[in-house]
């Protein structure tokens, strides 16, 4: 395919108040259009349910926008 393929994740159950993620797979091509490989990226946004855990761990993760 020419465009990126994606898998979207949503929270079902666990230690998060919210969790959204997206795996994207995009072909890497040379100037002639031949496929050289793939670029795989993961973007996530989450909020921990436990306030103490959130206070300790959330500063370790940079704030980034995605989707």
């Amino acid at each position: 395919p020419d465009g990126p393929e994606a898998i979207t994740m949503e929270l079902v159950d666990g230690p998060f108040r919210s969790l959204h993620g997206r795996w994207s797979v995009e072909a890497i091509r040379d100037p002639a259009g031949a496929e050289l490989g793939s670029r795989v990226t993961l973007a996530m946004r989450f909020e921990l349910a436990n306030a103490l855990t959130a206070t300790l761990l959330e500063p370790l993760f940079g704030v980034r926008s995605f989707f």
Side-chain angles (χ1 to χ4, degrees):
D2 291 326
E5 299 294 324
I7 298 170
T8 302
M9 302 181 301
E10 297 291 330
L11 174 69
V12 174
D13 192 15
F16 299 97
R17 180 171 289 128
S18 67
L19 179 121
H20 308 280
R22 179 177 174 160
W23 287 96
S24 297
V25 180
E26 182 178 4
I28 300 171
R29 300 183 184 279
D30 69 11
E35 190 167 329
L36 301 174
S38 299
R39 176 178 295 116
V40 179
T41 57
L42 170 62
M44 292 183 63
R45 180 176 54 206
F46 64 89
E47 182 180 359
L48 294 164
N50 181 289
L52 178 59
T53 304
T55 300
L56 294 172
L57 296 179
E58 287 179 355
L60 298 175
F61 299 93
V63 176
R64 296 182 179 185
S65 61
F66 77 113
F67 291 114

